[in-house]
Amino acid sequence: YIKRNIKIGVMSSYTINNLEDPLLYYLYENGFKLDIKFGGYNQIIQELLDKNSWLYLFKPDMILIALTTRTFLPDLQLKMINNYEMAANELKLKLKSLMDAIESYSLSSKIIITNLDLPIYSPYGIQDIERDDGVIKLVHEFNQELINFAKVNTNVNVLDFDRLCSMIGKTNITDEKMHYLGKIELKDASILAKEFLKFVNASYGNLKKCIIVDLDNTLWGGVIGEDGVDGIKIGE
């Protein structure tokens, strides 16, 4: 049958070109013919603001903005130790710049943005979760602000990247050698492709629906296991 054409732009704070093949496959399986383009490395804000960027020429139907804590907020833990307030303010400023850039984007593309993954390392160790100046608190606040932003911007949805990392295991999702060689954060990008597909299907109404009902005293009167076939009440 005829595939539905869809144009997707991918912007990220890390190298994510390995997303293309699994996304092509999963979208094709779900009835879409994909045209995909990738933005420059960590150029999200600049490309959203620039009316002459590839984004405005491409005019994507949907945009994926993929972030990770390690690349969007490099050296976060070190900055926190040196000056927590300065690190927190830098984070808020960067988030505000990102949100302002998204709001300035004038095309009608649906935007899916990932939240930040909670880092597995904190300079405060096991005490981090109890601290008001810990990594967990800082990243949680960022993610909550992102959710609040999506609630008031109907063209924006948040993809729970932290949950995906937890499902796979945060020590398994990245090949450290590839991170240091080329800032490739996802060893297997199919995990992100599958999750992004859910947003595509939801946006295009490409969903399967199922109604589940009980049988006894619902589709017929009586309990078939006790009354037998001849004992239940059933209409025409």
Side-chain angles (χ1 to χ4, degrees), residues 23-37:
L23 203 52
L24 278 165
Y25 173 77
Y26 291 127
L27 283 170
Y28 188 84
E29 286 288 292
N30 282 263
F32 294 96
K33 184 180 179 183
L34 175 64
D35 186 5
I36 188 170
K37 289 193 183 301

Side-chain angles (χ1 to χ4, degrees), residues 194-209:
K194 285 179 185 176
E195 195 71 8
F196 182 70
L197 172 66
K198 296 175 185 177
F199 289 90
V200 176
N201 281 334
S203 295
Y204 282 82
N206 193 25
L207 302 169
K208 294 182 176 70
K209 296 183 179 181

Side-chain angles (χ1 to χ4, degrees), residues 138-180:
L138 208 55
V139 175
H140 270 316
E141 286 178 351
F142 179 99
N143 288 342
Q144 189 56 55
E145 284 299 314
L146 208 54
I147 291 166
N148 295 341
F149 176 72
K151 285 179 179 177
V152 296
N153 289 271
T154 54
N155 68 317
V156 179
N157 286 116
V158 177
L159 186 156
D160 194 351
F161 181 66
D162 182 63
R163 181 181 62 84
L164 287 186
C165 293
S166 298
M167 285 167 56
I168 298 300
K170 291 182 179 178
T171 56
N172 299 322
I173 201 162
T174 302
D175 182 327
E176 292 299 323
K177 179 180 178 182
M178 298 311 295
H179 165 75
Y180 285 107

